[in-house]
């Protein structure tokens, strides 16, 4: 049995991760400042005496004794991370410095939730971990992209300089139950719009692509990376390679919800990546991991969840 700290544990992915770590018998401390997360997503865990909830901001130091740290604290949806870009950069950079300091002091293993945004608007497709990316350093997505890139740099420097036991995972677009209906990401936007027969808002012409991974598959990958006995630090891509254009995705959601919604085309935000698909060969080789939930099955569960929220 281990004592595990999950920062951003009240968020979408974090709440599923806390739940799964508890199910496997760990003590879990969920740390969150509730910027985008909510007590509702972890309310069902509060009665479990192996679970603790701490309101704290990762940009401030935090002292505790733990065996493992999953660092997920950071808003992930573009409207949320662009709301206060300076705070987003601080969350990634000061947050990982504080968590790496904690890992160093108590000799904990630390996993950083990095992102496919590391690759920016990729000129290499599908994206392999060896690709260094094509990131605008001064655009509206940079607070997130460059913050996450700096966090990866710090992870490897703390490893080389202080021998901290690190794991780096690059997460591609993930969706599922417990997404906030006002989150602003494409999966929640389209499903909520379709269920309410409102216009489906495609940014640009919808030819840009994304590859969507169901949250339970992703959580399994995170835990395999943390618990992996081999000296494999990453970075490793975790995502589902089933690539779809945003226009086809909108049509699929309309079909699956039996909606009367119409598609409307809105301005494309700047620096929106044109294509994104993970190469997950490395995760297969090192972690024996691959996603098991198809887009249709994952969307069925997610649509049911949003129906119940209505
Ligand atoms: P989310 O916004 O639902 O969760 C983020 C959590 O972090 C929230 O609970 C929020 O309140 C908390 N948080 C934010 N700033 C904080 C701070 N300064 N101190 C403490 N807590 C703070 O997003 P998510 O989709 O669950 O993403 C979780 C992590 O995974 C993020 O680090 C994100 O960058 C990464 N990621 C997610 C995706 C995805 O598709 N969901 C893709 C790539 C990477
Ligand atoms: N998108 C869209 N309509 C929306 C929300 C998003 O067309 O209502 C597009 C967005 O421009 C991007 C893709 O869907 O090309 C995925 O957006 P999301 O915000 O989910 O995540 P990203 O992968 O861009 O970080």
């Amino acid at each position: 049995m281990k004592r595990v700290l999950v920062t951003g544990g009240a968020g979408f992915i974090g709440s599923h991760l806390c739940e799964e770590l508890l199910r496997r018998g760990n003590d879990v401390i969920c740390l969150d400042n509730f910027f985008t997360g909510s007590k509702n997503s972890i309310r069902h865990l509060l009665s479990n005496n192996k679970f603790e909830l701490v309101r704290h901001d990762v940009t401030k130091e935090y002292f505790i004794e733990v065996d493992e740290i999953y660092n997920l604290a950071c808003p992930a949806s573009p409207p949320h991370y662009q709301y206060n870009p300076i705070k987003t950069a601080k969350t990634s950079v000061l947050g990982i410095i504080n968590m790496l300091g904690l890992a160093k002091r108590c000799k904990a293993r630390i996993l950083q939730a990095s992102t496919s945004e590391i690759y920016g608007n990729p000129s290499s497709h599908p994206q392999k971990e060896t690709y260094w990316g094509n990131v605008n350093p001064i655009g509206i997505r940079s607070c997130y992209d460059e913050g996450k890139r700096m966090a990866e740099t710090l992870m490897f420097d703390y490893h080389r300089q202080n021998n901290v036991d690190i794991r780096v995972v690059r997460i591609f677009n993930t969706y599922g139950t417990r997404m906030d209906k006002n989150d602003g990401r494409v999966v929640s936007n389209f499903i909520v719009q379709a269920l309410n027969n409102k216009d489906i808002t495609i940014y640009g012409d919808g030819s840009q692509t994304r590859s969507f991974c169901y949250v339970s598959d992703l959580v399994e990958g995170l835990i395999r990376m943390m618990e992996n006995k081999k000296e494999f630090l990453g970075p490793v891509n975790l995502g589902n390679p089933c690539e779809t254009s945003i226009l086809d995705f909108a049509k699929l959601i309309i079909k699956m919800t039996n909606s009367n919604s119409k598609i409307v085309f809105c301005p494309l935000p700047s620096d929106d990546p044109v294509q994104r698909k993970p190469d997950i060969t490395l995760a297969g080789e090192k972690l024996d991991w691959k996603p098991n939930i198809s887009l249709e099955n994952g969307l069925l569960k997610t649509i049911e969840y949003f129906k119940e929220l209505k």
Side-chain angles (χ1 to χ4, degrees):
M1 193 198 74
K2 283 169 297 202
R3 189 183 294 177
V4 186
L5 174 65
V6 180
T7 77
F12 157 56
I13 297 175
S15 65
H16 286 277
L17 177 62
C18 288
E19 188 175 279
E20 184 58 21
L21 290 168
L22 286 168
R23 201 187 64 74
R24 297 183 188 205
N26 299 286
D27 265 337
V28 176
I29 298 116
C30 165
L31 180 155
D32 209 292
N33 71 348
F34 302 115
F35 173 51
T36 51
S38 122
K39 276 190 197 155
N40 282 335
S41 58
I42 37 95
R43 196 174 297 283
H44 62 297
L45 306 176
L46 291 173
S47 58
N48 186 329
N49 61 10
K50 285 175 168 285
F51 183 73
E52 279 171 67
L53 177 61
V54 178
R55 181 190 286 263
H56 186 81
D57 192 308
V58 283
T59 60
K60 305 279 182 282
E61 283 184 333
Y62 181 64
F63 293 93
I64 193 172
E65 301 302 320
V66 285
D67 304 301
E68 291 177 352
I69 303 165
Y70 288 86
N71 187 44
L72 272 63
C74 186
S77 147
H80 287 154
Y81 70 65
Q82 288 163 17
Y83 170 75
N84 184 346
I86 297 171
K87 178 66 196 247
T88 299
K90 284 184 180 174
T91 293
S92 279
V93 178
L94 298 178
I96 197 65
I97 289 173
N98 288 328
M99 290 305 120
L100 280 161
L102 177 63
K104 180 182 164 193
R105 183 178 55 77
C106 52
K107 299 198 174 16
R109 180 172 289 179
I110 179 167
L111 180 146
Q112 165 67 357
S114 191
T115 165
S116 52
E117 286 285 317
I118 291 287
Y119 303 120
N121 185 18
S123 50
S124 163
H125 193 75
Q127 292 77 55
K128 283 184 192 301
E129 292 83 352
T130 45
Y131 176 56
W132 287 356
N134 176 32
V135 177
N136 176 358
I138 57 168
I140 58 170
R141 295 176 86 101
S142 313
C143 59
Y144 183 74
D145 300 11
E146 298 289 16
K148 290 280 188 180
R149 286 170 69 93
M150 189 67 216
E152 284 201 13
T153 304
L154 285 159
M155 288 285 282
F156 279 87
D157 282 335
Y158 268 76
H159 175 69
R160 283 185 288 256
Q161 198 174 326
N162 296 131
N163 212 19
V164 174
D165 189 9
I166 60 157
R167 299 288 183 270
V168 177
V169 162
R170 293 181 179 154
I171 303 171
F172 283 65
N173 296 67
T174 300
Y175 70 100
T177 59
R178 291 199 208 122
M179 288 189 97
D180 180 9
K181 66 178 177 6
N182 299 315
D183 179 87
R185 280 178 277 192
V186 70
V187 178
S188 43
N189 272 10
F190 284 7
I191 295 177
V192 171
Q193 289 164 344
L195 290 176
N196 291 297
N197 293 310
K198 298 255 170 65
D199 289 349
I200 305 274
T201 54
I202 290 193
Y203 304 158
D205 62 7
S207 61
Q208 71 271 37
T209 68
R210 294 294 186 273
S211 308
F212 297 104
C213 182
Y214 192 67
V215 64
S216 57
D217 281 333
L218 192 267
V219 164
E220 177 63 32
L222 294 177
I223 296 176
R224 281 195 194 198
M225 184 59 176
M226 178 65 101
E227 294 186 348
N228 184 23
K229 298 274 185 289
K230 296 175 207 150
E231 178 69 356
F232 173 56
L233 312 180
V236 64
N237 291 337
L238 292 181
N240 191 324
C242 69
E243 185 181 12
T244 167
S245 75
I246 294 302
L247 179 58
D248 285 345
F249 188 63
K251 290 178 183 164
L252 178 63
I253 300 284
I254 291 174
K255 191 171 133 209
M256 289 183 71
T257 50
N258 252 325
S259 172
N260 296 321
S261 292
K262 291 192 309 291
I263 288 176
V264 295
F265 295 93
C266 311
L268 183 68
S270 62
D271 295 337
D272 198 289
V274 173
Q275 52 182 1
R276 182 181 291 158
K277 173 183 176 174
D279 182 319
I280 55 166
T281 313
L282 191 62
E285 283 168 12
K286 299 286 187 184
L287 309 175
D288 192 24
W289 178 88
K290 65 172 174 45
N292 291 315
I293 311 237
S294 67
L295 184 58
E296 280 74 13
N297 283 341
L299 284 176
L300 278 176
K301 294 177 207 271
T302 312
I303 290 167
E304 276 317 299
Y305 155 78
F306 278 114
K307 269 188 193 163
E308 279 168 27
L309 270 191
K310 266 179 83 179

